[in-house]
Amino acid sequence: MPPGLKQHNSHRPNRPESGDSRASVYEILKQVPVGVYHIDLVNLRLLMVNDYMCKVSGYTEEEFLALNPMDILTSQSRTTLYQRLQRMAG
């Protein structure tokens, strides 16, 4: 965890409630024909993955969400993410 960011200790990621605008966006993203996943940048956890990403990765949704997001990013993407997190932490 980069310094300056707060750790959230919930076991499961916050899922949007039905009727929440994020729930509607998630439902749309679940169906698009490209791989999409959502990372919680504070806790570095996967919050959502769509069906296409599961299909091409070979993981079930549950398996994919249990992965460490750092393990699915390229080294360049990890570096970029850490730089952005450090900027956010100010």
Side-chain angles (χ1 to χ4, degrees), residues 4-5 7 9 15 18-19 26 30 32 34 36 40-41 43-44 47-48 53 57 59-60 68 72 76 85:
L5 292 179
Q7 178 72 28
N9 293 322
R15 293 290 192 159
S18 181
Y26 277 14
K30 295 281 288 171
V32 297
V34 295
V36 177
D40 173 347
L41 295 178
N43 300 305
L44 296 178
L47 299 178
M48 185 277 299
M53 190 67 178
S57 70
Y59 290 106
T60 66
N68 179 334
I72 62 173
Q76 181 178 354
L85 291 171

Side-chain angles (χ1 to χ4, degrees), residues 7-40:
Q7 178 72 28
H8 185 327
N9 293 322
S10 68
H11 179 66
R12 294 286 299 156
N14 291 332
R15 293 290 192 159
E17 296 295 323
S18 181
D20 181 334
S21 62
R22 282 188 302 156
S24 298
V25 171
Y26 277 14
E27 288 308 311
I28 292 168
L29 292 176
K30 295 281 288 171
Q31 299 175 36
V32 297
V34 295
V36 177
Y37 53 87
H38 179 195
I39 299 175
D40 173 347

